[in-house]
């Protein structure tokens, strides 16, 4: 993002800026932190489109026990506090909407 931010400063037209909400930043405060980080890296005040990378906290299952994942589901690797995926998605969307309306 910092490279893109530098490139934006060199062009005459105002581009349509898109960035992505990373899947490790789900939850209300985490989502806001992710957006603030992107804005700082891009060196802009706002973006035109914030994409959600994945609609839930997806943590890498590489190197994880396939048997455990099959028995318990991938949620066995969610970090503490992310067990209620529906609530987590709602909090993430609420943060995105609040930032849009701010």
């Amino acid at each position: 993002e910092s490279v893109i931010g530098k490139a934006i400063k060199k062009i005459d037209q105002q581009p349509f800026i898109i960035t992505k909400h990373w899947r490790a930043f789900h939850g209300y405060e985490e989502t806001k932190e992710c957006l603030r980080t992107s804005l700082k890296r891009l060196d802009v005040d706002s973006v035109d489109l914030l994409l959600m990378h994945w609609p839930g906290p997806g943590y890498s299952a590489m190197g994880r026990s396939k048997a455990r994942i099959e028995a318990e589901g991938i949620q066995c690797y969610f970090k503490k506090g992310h067990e209620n995926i529906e609530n987590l998605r709602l909090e993430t969307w609420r943060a995105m909407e609040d930032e849009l309306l701010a």
Side-chain angles (χ1 to χ4, degrees), residues 13 37 66 91 98:
Q13 296 179 333
T37 299
K66 185 176 178 183
E91 289 299 305
D98 286 353

Side-chain angles (χ1 to χ4, degrees), residues 27-45:
Y28 189 81
E29 291 303 325
E30 295 90 339
T31 298
K32 288 183 159 215
E33 176 188 346
C34 184
L35 178 58
R36 283 191 301 267
T37 299
S38 288
L39 293 174
K40 184 177 179 181
R41 287 179 183 160
L42 290 164
D43 195 20
V44 296
D45 295 327

Side-chain angles (χ1 to χ4, degrees), residues 20-75:
K20 156 168 70 169
H21 169 267
W22 291 93
R23 64 186 187 168
F25 289 90
H26 282 273
Y28 189 81
E29 291 303 325
E30 295 90 339
T31 298
K32 288 183 159 215
E33 176 188 346
C34 184
L35 178 58
R36 283 191 301 267
T37 299
S38 288
L39 293 174
K40 184 177 179 181
R41 287 179 183 160
L42 290 164
D43 195 20
V44 296
D45 295 327
S46 65
V47 295
D48 297 293
L49 179 62
L50 178 61
L51 298 172
M52 184 180 285
H53 182 268
W54 188 259
Y59 300 100
S60 176
M62 297 205 40
R64 307 298 175 125
S65 167
K66 185 176 178 183
R68 182 174 179 201
I69 293 171
E70 288 174 354
E72 300 176 39
I74 191 63
Q75 63 274 10

Side-chain angles (χ1 to χ4, degrees), residues 75-89:
Q75 63 274 10
C76 68
Y77 290 112
F78 288 177
K79 64 184 180 182
K80 188 171 173 66
H82 286 188
E83 295 85 5
N84 184 336
I85 190 71
E86 292 82 10
N87 186 56
L88 191 63
R89 284 181 183 151

